[in-house]
Amino acid sequence: MVEFLRRDVPRDMVVEWMPGAKIMPTTDNTLDEILSLAAAHFKVPREKLTPDGDFFKALGIDSLQALDLLTRLEHHFRIELPDYELQGVSDFRTLAQRIQARL
Amino acid sequence: MNEFKGQAISWQIVNGAIELALHREPCNEIGSGTLEELETFAATLPELAREAHALIIHSTLKAGFSAGADLRELYEGSRGMDKQEAVRGVREFLRRIHGVMNTLDAAPLTTIAAVHGVTFGGGFELALVCDIIIADRMARFCFPELRLGLIPGFGGIPRLKRDLGNAVVRDLLMTGRSFNVMKAQQVGLVSQIAAEGEALRLARATAVQVGKFDRRTASAAKEFMKPIPYEELKREIEIFCELFAQPAVEEGLRKFVENEGVQPYLP
């Protein structure tokens, strides 16, 4: 199931597995998906991205590209992530926690 | 003047639709230069409208539709100036931009904003004057003015209130957060979502469709459905000018202009 969750498919297509039960993705799953999405979009080798790394530096992005990343993450996880929750956030792990709190 | 190529905007008529392109780097900040060209466009609109049935407003810049008012120009232009004189200058700028916005809002054409990327502040307000907003899936909408100690000044609140529920308007204003396109469509702001890079194409297709109907009927329907809140717009200018006189605003503008952080667009 973990492998299944790692694929780049919308979350609501994979979490239902039996009536009334939902598999909640873990923060690790979420973190993994963020790293994969960021690496693919900004064309950075996945292995160069680390959970505690500064994503502005690792991805070489500015504030406009950070907004682009935010939008892609919102679309991918089908959530709203208000910008103010990202104020001061610059590492992937904290970003994953913020997203996890809205799944 | 069926075609115009300026420093900040250009226009031409394509298949019966006026295409007004914004192209002032870095992200179509609206300052006095853009305002002058927009005024020229507004003055030319009656002539253009004789040969067109629709108006499409779009940006040719990758960063987005528009980041809003040129805050750098506002800061530099009012810094160290006598407060009353600075407020007079701002009031005059607002009076002129409201003139343009009201003309576009009331244009006897179907107006379409094809937006992508950053659609913030004054850029958002420019989209709000249009009858239809078609948004690229990567578009984001935001009113960050409160962090400067101001309210939107180009007609934002009255026009948002016209189109959306007050609760959503308050959320946008009070938090200064940005909305993605799914949220914008969910609350009734955006009517069509385009794939990345496709908003202008969808706007052109929509313009062709609206051109099939009788112009006078379309204008009558528009006037009936989309009244212009003139009194609230005037009140907005007054509130903006009252707030602009506060010392905190100059400090807020200074911080914004001097901000070299990686997240200046995040409220």
Side-chain angles (χ1 to χ4, degrees):
Chain A
M1 182 54 75
V2 169
E3 286 308 310
F4 188 41
L5 281 172
R6 279 181 181 160
R7 290 185 208 162
D8 188 16
V9 293
R11 272 288 171 70
D12 58 1
M13 289 174 64
V14 299
V15 293
E16 284 284 353
W17 67 284
M18 62 181 287
K22 281 195 171 181
I23 296 174
M24 287 306 295
T26 66
T27 305
D28 283 347
N29 298 143
T30 302
L31 179 58
D32 196 43
E33 287 184 44
I34 293 170
L35 291 169
S36 298
L37 186 148
H41 181 69
F42 293 104
K43 297 183 172 52
V44 175
R46 169 71 176 76
E47 61 275 13
K48 289 203 171 173
L49 303 180
T50 56
D52 296 307
D54 181 320
F55 52 75
F56 287 102
K57 284 183 188 158
L59 301 172
I61 60 174
D62 59 19
S63 61
L64 283 176
Q65 290 167 308
L67 273 180
D68 181 283
L69 176 63
L70 169 62
T71 307
R72 286 180 197 285
L73 292 171
E74 285 184 328
H75 288 327
H76 178 80
F77 290 103
R78 301 194 174 195
I79 56 163
E80 267 187 76
L81 190 57
D83 331 50
Y84 52 79
E85 287 208 11
L86 295 183
Q87 209 154 34
V89 175
S90 59
D91 66 281
F92 289 106
R93 191 183 303 279
T94 312
L95 179 61
Q97 287 163 355
R98 297 285 196 274
I99 289 174
Q100 187 72 16
R102 288 179 173 264
L103 292 177
Chain B
M1 194 158 45
N2 276 1
E3 272 192 53
F4 173 83
K5 176 93 178 133
Q7 299 292 314
I9 67 171
S10 297
W11 68 78
Q12 59 178 334
I13 296 179
V14 182
N15 295 328
I18 308 159
E19 293 191 2
L20 175 64
L22 313 175
H23 48 70
R24 183 190 175 213
E25 297 275 3
C27 193
N28 293 316
E29 286 77 5
I30 302 169
S32 51
T34 305
L35 173 58
E36 267 178 39
E37 292 185 5
L38 284 172
E39 285 178 319
T40 304
F41 176 75
T44 314
L45 194 53
E47 182 190 324
L48 293 168
R50 284 199 287 273
E51 295 179 40
H53 61 270
L55 164 66
I56 298 170
I57 306 179
H58 68 104
S59 158
T60 63
L61 303 182
K62 186 169 181 283
F65 183 70
S66 168
D70 188 340
L71 298 178
R72 192 170 296 276
E73 182 183 283
L74 179 62
Y75 174 66
E76 300 293 346
S78 57
R79 185 169 54 160
M81 192 184 269
D82 169 71
K83 205 46 105 184
Q84 281 188 330
E85 198 185 330
V87 170
R88 262 198 302 277
V90 164
R91 186 187 299 278
E92 177 59 12
F93 186 94
L94 292 180
R95 187 192 63 75
R96 290 171 59 197
I97 193 81
H98 273 238
V100 170
M101 296 290 198
N102 292 348
T103 300
L104 294 176
D105 201 337
L109 303 157
T110 299
T111 53
I112 304 167
V115 308
H116 70 277
V118 169
T119 306
F120 283 11
F124 191 175
E125 290 167 299
L126 180 57
L128 281 171
V129 302
C130 293
D131 305 333
I132 298 169
I133 299 179
I134 295 176
D136 180 294
R137 77 187 302 271
M138 295 303 292
R140 288 196 84 84
F141 303 86
C142 177
F143 274 126
E145 283 82 355
L146 259 72
R147 71 173 152 155
L148 299 172
L150 293 168
I151 60 167
F154 297 179
I157 295 176
R159 288 197 173 91
L160 261 189
K161 280 172 62 184
R162 176 175 67 182
D163 289 346
L164 306 183
N166 257 326
V168 178
V169 179
R170 286 195 298 272
D171 184 350
L172 264 173
L173 264 288
M174 302 303 181
T175 66
R177 73 178 172 118
S178 60
F179 277 3
N180 70 26
V181 76
M182 310 303 277
K183 176 76 174 185
Q185 188 179 46
Q186 182 197 334
V187 300
L189 180 68
V190 161
S191 57
Q192 298 182 42
I193 297 178
E196 282 187 67
E198 294 291 322
L200 180 57
R201 197 184 62 74
L202 262 62
R204 285 174 174 155
T206 304
V208 168
Q209 172 62 21
V210 302
K212 294 175 184 169
F213 304 144
D214 176 63
R215 266 283 294 283
R216 201 161 57 179
T217 309
S219 285
K222 170 172 168 168
E223 204 177 325
F224 181 46
M225 287 188 293
K226 193 169 163 251
I228 301 175
Y230 288 111
E231 288 310 310
E232 286 196 344
L233 289 164
K234 282 185 203 157
R235 181 75 187 120
E236 179 193 82
I237 295 178
E238 293 310 313
I239 296 171
F240 189 99
C241 289
E242 281 167 28
L243 293 168
F244 190 77
Q246 303 302 311
V249 173
E250 188 174 333
E251 179 58 15
L253 284 172
R254 187 189 62 76
K255 274 189 188 161
F256 180 86
V257 167
E258 293 176 359
N259 185 354
E260 291 179 357
V262 286
Q263 296 174 296
Y265 280 96
L266 299 184

